[in-house]
């Protein structure tokens, strides 16, 4: 099992094709945004808006961030808790 890098406190760039609002019908447009990692678990990352956040339809899109040693790409699977 791969260990996720601890990017807590790091701003990450997200790329996705999801909707821009819960009532929007604008899926299919490539969008990017920045979120901040608030925690890293054994198989998940938690983020908060900085100022962006993932939306419905973004699952599987890349999240790129840097740890102290190298660039890390993380899979994005939004989950609301």
């Amino acid at each position: 099992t791969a260990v996720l890098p601890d990017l807590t406190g790091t701003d990450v760039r997200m790329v996705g094709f999801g909707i821009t609002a819960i009532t929007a019908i604008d899926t299919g447009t490539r969008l990017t945004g920045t979120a901040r990692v608030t925690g890293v678990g054994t198989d998940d990352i938690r983020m908060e808006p900085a100022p962006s956040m993932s939306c419905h339809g973004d699952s599987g899109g890349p999240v790129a961030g840097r740890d102290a040693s190298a660039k890390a790409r993380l899979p994005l699977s939004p989950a609301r808790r």
Side-chain angles (χ1 to χ4, degrees):
T1 304
V3 176
L4 295 174
D6 187 2
L7 298 174
T8 302
T10 302
D11 287 350
V12 293
R13 181 173 177 238
M14 301 176 295
V15 180
F17 292 86
I19 58 176
T20 56
I22 198 69
T23 58
I25 56 170
D26 56 353
T27 187
T29 301
R30 180 178 177 264
L31 301 169
T32 64
T34 303
R36 183 164 294 120
V37 177
T38 60
V40 178
T42 56
D43 62 357
D44 69 324
I45 57 173
R46 291 170 298 285
M47 298 181 286
E48 66 184 8
S52 304
M53 197 59 197
S54 59
C55 290
H56 180 73
D58 286 337
S59 294
V63 175
R66 292 186 184 272
D67 62 11
S69 62
K71 188 170 189 173
R73 282 188 185 248
L74 307 171
L76 173 62
S77 294
R80 305 288 185 240
R81 297 181 188 192

